[in-house]
Amino acid sequence: MLNKSELSSWLQMILIFRGLSSEQLMPLAQIAQLQKFQKGEIIFIQDSEATGFFAVQTGRVKVFKMASNGKEQILHLLNICDYFAEVPALDGKAFPASAIALEYTELIFFPRLPFLDLLHQYPAIAINMLMSLANHARKLAHMVEELSCKDVPQRLASYLLDLSDRENQANVITLDVTKTQLAATLGTIPATLSRALYRLSHEGLIAINGSQIELLDRDRLQNATDY
């Protein structure tokens, strides 16, 4: 069973709930539900009814779309304190993608109708949601730009720099996904990803040691995103 007081404090770490008072956070904790998923277990499938949205308390989640030809496009790889499915939770339409647990995962689930009631009662929560949706739209626009305007080595260079930035600009980074998952994230196939890794390595921009990648020249790697 969830400790509502501890959960209320934890919710302050979630981007959409930052800055809310204890008075505003406690009702969120009251409607929250803990859901547990084993590695490989489906959280929801594309086009199923959207009953609410989720925040990751432990574990990792992959959100993806599957084309009719079986090709997978990874939309998000989510870690602790990330949240997802808030858009269909607001508009009441079906989940536009599927989600699966990449490892044992515990999620905090916010059921749609009780959450909408809270938005009417606490405008500050609604304002945070609007800011979240704007950020979500920007990320999707960036993804469209990456997939439509850049080739795979450029997308790979952008991904590596972004991963480095998330690790305080570390020059040695560890891939947080398998190469198959990384290929799907970049909108390509493993063989093409391998060629892109070889190209960046051959040009002296990176050094590869298993799942670890060293960024040898950040400036040239940044330039590589604009080939």
Side-chain angles (χ1 to χ4, degrees):
M1 181 177 294
L2 287 173
N3 182 306
K4 300 302 183 181
S5 178
E6 292 179 0
L7 178 58
S8 177
S9 297
W10 181 80
L11 290 176
Q12 295 180 10
M13 296 187 292
I14 307 298
L15 180 62
I16 53 175
F17 300 141
R18 285 179 190 169
L20 298 181
S21 67
S22 298
E23 178 186 4
Q24 295 162 333
L25 288 167
M26 185 53 72
L28 289 165
Q30 293 293 339
I31 68 169
Q33 303 169 12
L34 177 64
Q35 297 186 357
K36 301 178 181 181
F37 297 87
Q38 299 301 318
K39 179 179 179 180
E41 188 174 356
I42 293 292
I43 299 167
F44 55 77
I45 61 174
Q46 184 174 326
D47 297 326
S48 62
E49 179 185 3
T51 55
F53 74 101
F54 307 80
V56 183
Q57 190 167 51
T58 64
R60 294 196 303 151
V61 171
K62 175 178 72 173
V63 179
F64 64 98
K65 289 182 75 71
M66 190 69 71
S68 57
N69 62 2
K71 182 179 179 181
E72 178 183 275
Q73 173 64 55
I74 294 180
L75 302 178
H76 306 288
L77 293 169
L78 305 165
N79 296 292
I80 294 173
C81 292
D82 288 333
Y83 57 93
F84 60 104
E86 72 279 13
V87 173
L90 288 176
D91 66 19
K93 296 182 180 180
F95 288 119
S98 301
I100 189 173
L102 293 176
E103 58 191 55
Y104 173 75
T105 297
E106 295 184 356
L107 301 177
I108 303 300
F109 173 69
F110 299 92
R112 179 175 180 268
L113 294 180
F115 182 75
L116 292 178
D117 287 340
L118 289 182
L119 293 185
H120 289 289
Q121 297 177 47
Y122 299 97
I125 301 177
I127 291 172
N128 277 21
M129 289 297 292
L130 286 173
M131 295 175 63
S132 169
L133 293 175
N135 184 55
H136 185 70
R138 286 180 181 273
K139 287 182 177 179
L140 287 178
H142 177 71
M143 176 181 290
V144 170
E145 178 185 4
E146 291 280 309
L147 293 175
S148 61
C149 301
K150 295 184 178 181
D151 61 20
V152 175
Q154 288 175 301
R155 290 179 231 158
L156 175 60
S158 294
Y159 181 90
L160 296 176
L161 287 169
D162 180 65
L163 184 57
S164 172
D165 289 342
R166 283 186 273 140
E167 297 182 4
N168 298 315
Q169 295 193 328
N171 285 327
V172 178
I173 56 179
T174 301
L175 291 179
D176 52 353
V177 293
T178 67
K179 289 185 178 179
T180 298
Q181 291 170 340
L182 178 55
T185 301
L186 300 178
T188 188
I189 59 175
T192 304
L193 172 64
S194 294
R195 289 193 290 271
L197 285 166
Y198 174 80
R199 173 175 166 179
L200 296 184
S201 175
H202 182 70
E203 293 179 356
L205 303 183
I206 63 174
I208 305 170
N209 182 19
S211 63
Q212 285 194 329
I213 296 181
E214 181 179 1
L215 310 188
L216 299 176
D217 192 326
R218 295 183 67 92
D219 290 338
R220 288 178 60 211
L221 196 62
Q222 182 64 58
N223 290 337
T225 67
D226 302 318
Y227 283 162

